[in-house]
Amino acid sequence: LSRNGIMGLVKKIFSKVIIHLLSLIICYVVSTVTLLRWFKLGNALFHVKPRSTPPAILQDEKWGTHGYLHLKSQGIKIHYVESGDRSKPLIVCFHGFPEFWFSWRYQLKEFSSDHWVVAVDMRGYGDSDKPSPLFDYSIDKLVEDLRQIVLELGRMKGIDWNKERCTVMAHDWGGALAWLLVNLHPQLFDYHISFNAPHPSASARHRQSSFKQKIMSWYMIFFQTPWVPEIIIRANDLEMFDNLAKPMKNRDEMFNHEIIEAYKYTFGKKGALIGPLNYYRNMDPTMAEMSFPKVSVPTLIIWGTEDKALAKPIAELNAVLCENAQIQWIEKTGHWVQMEEHALVNNLIRDYFIKNLKIVKTQDECITSA
């Protein structure tokens, strides 16, 4: 190793040690609160209601058709839901935490009239394969999953990548990985639409410089603790999902009891939380120091301004890392923007498509005239 390589490794190890120490402190506080709740509620605190049958809403044909992709070189099977005609332009949707394909239900319905829309369960989530080892959730493997998903869908559709590209929509963790995907493989994409999703470098840099963001990111550190986060999330019949729903806009429509039950069914299965939490356990603390080329894929950043986990400056830092980016702020809306304000968000996306199509047509006319 060179001197710089050794210093980089030392920094990475030191950062990991600090994060683990912080995670233990946060774990102690959370565990103490949980212990006090146990004195009050007894063993019922750790009871998760058995849910052996999928809720009817997850099987409703209006969302689309279920299927599986076999990523042979990755050694995993990926579940997806597709809607629309495969001959139409492809939109691929990647979710975040704690979500699964169902978070894209409004986009599956809206864009299936003129696109082939595919929403996947990412590695470790939903009905996709859930390898247990921590190393199976490295950033490199997760980004490669996304690339191979796109290529496999392209194969199913018969895409000639020299003539046709697709659109990627992504939120939260799926969005963080999608930033790296479009950076590394821009030749696959016409558009990149990012929903409250941090570029890994932008979020790491903002955490370094912002005390407020450090506080907002407490859960990211806590989730890196072994075992305890799984127990806390499952507490009181996965009460976390009831709590996530409380501040949401349009709650009666978007996150009512039936929909909460769909999330509890998905994340209440044995081992269902190990994979999602392993994403956090593989976070690279030195990401802020890494240098990335600017994203060349045209990018629309849609950001709910009341996000309690990711502050607004991250969206602005995201845009700086792009050659061609537009930010649309969704006021008085939280982290789950593609659900909370789905009608507005879908209209913004359509307008973005129309605007860029006009630009492409104008450019083609200019080339023809020349």
Side-chain angles (χ1 to χ4, degrees), residues 48-310:
V48 175
K49 174 183 171 183
R51 295 175 173 86
S52 57
T53 305
I57 196 168
L58 292 182
Q59 299 176 307
D60 196 322
E61 294 181 356
K62 70 183 179 182
W63 310 125
T65 304
H66 295 251
Y68 290 90
L69 301 173
H70 295 268
L71 308 184
K72 294 180 181 178
S73 64
Q74 296 291 86
I76 61 169
K77 181 177 65 177
I78 295 292
H79 171 255
Y80 68 86
V81 175
E82 63 170 303
S83 187
D85 190 330
R86 290 189 182 182
S87 67
K88 301 292 179 63
L90 171 63
I91 297 176
V92 190
C93 304
F94 298 121
H95 63 79
F97 175 91
E99 300 174 274
F100 60 115
W101 71 265
F102 191 57
S103 298
W104 298 106
R105 59 194 178 277
Y106 297 113
Q107 287 69 45
L108 282 163
K109 282 187 66 178
E110 171 65 25
F111 295 102
S112 60
S113 60
D114 47 11
H115 289 81
W116 179 36
V117 190
V118 181
V120 306
D121 285 335
M122 293 170 60
R123 174 190 292 246
Y125 282 87
D127 289 327
S128 290
D129 282 348
K130 302 174 179 63
S132 296
L134 182 61
F135 61 78
D136 276 328
Y137 295 86
S138 69
I139 297 296
D140 289 344
K141 280 192 176 182
L142 296 173
V143 174
E144 180 61 14
D145 280 354
L146 270 56
R147 187 184 77 90
Q148 291 198 25
I149 287 168
V150 171
L151 292 177
E152 183 62 17
L153 292 173
R155 185 193 64 78
M156 292 165 60
K157 178 176 163 53
I159 287 181
D160 178 351
W161 293 106
N162 293 316
K163 299 178 180 178
E164 187 177 353
R165 300 181 183 186
C166 70
T167 295
V168 58
M169 294 186 186
H171 175 245
D172 188 75
W173 253 112
L177 297 169
W179 278 106
L180 301 179
L181 177 70
V182 297
N183 206 317
L184 292 169
H185 308 287
Q187 73 280 3
L188 299 176
F189 303 101
D190 278 322
Y191 307 113
H192 167 222
I193 302 175
S194 181
F195 304 83
N196 282 68
H199 187 296
S201 175
S203 60
R205 289 176 186 176
H206 187 58
R207 277 196 303 275
Q208 282 190 345
S209 62
S210 168
F211 180 75
K212 178 183 177 182
Q213 185 59 57
K214 285 184 176 73
I215 299 300
M216 293 170 74
S217 300
W218 72 269
Y219 68 96
M220 296 183 187
I221 298 173
F222 171 58
F223 286 167
Q224 295 183 47
T225 310
W227 309 307
V228 178
E230 284 92 332
I231 296 170
I232 300 300
I233 292 172
R234 287 174 60 85
N236 205 20
D237 193 31
L238 294 154
E239 182 183 36
M240 181 186 80
F241 290 100
D242 299 287
N243 294 333
L244 286 175
K246 288 177 182 177
M248 291 184 178
K249 294 176 70 175
N250 307 316
R251 178 185 171 187
D252 292 340
E253 172 205 355
M254 186 207 71
F255 230 72
N256 55 36
H257 176 73
E258 185 180 21
I259 291 172
I260 291 173
E261 280 297 303
Y263 280 82
K264 289 186 176 183
Y265 165 79
T266 299
F267 288 95
K269 297 176 184 177
K270 184 178 180 180
L273 290 165
I274 294 173
L277 289 168
N278 278 347
Y279 282 58
Y280 291 95
R281 290 163 182 156
N282 269 297
M283 289 177 66
D284 187 344
T286 64
M287 190 70 75
E289 299 173 15
M290 295 184 185
S291 178
F292 294 88
K294 287 200 170 188
V295 172
S296 60
V297 178
T299 295
L300 174 62
I301 299 168
I302 296 177
W303 201 274
T305 59
E306 300 302 313
D307 194 324
K308 302 302 181 186
L310 301 168

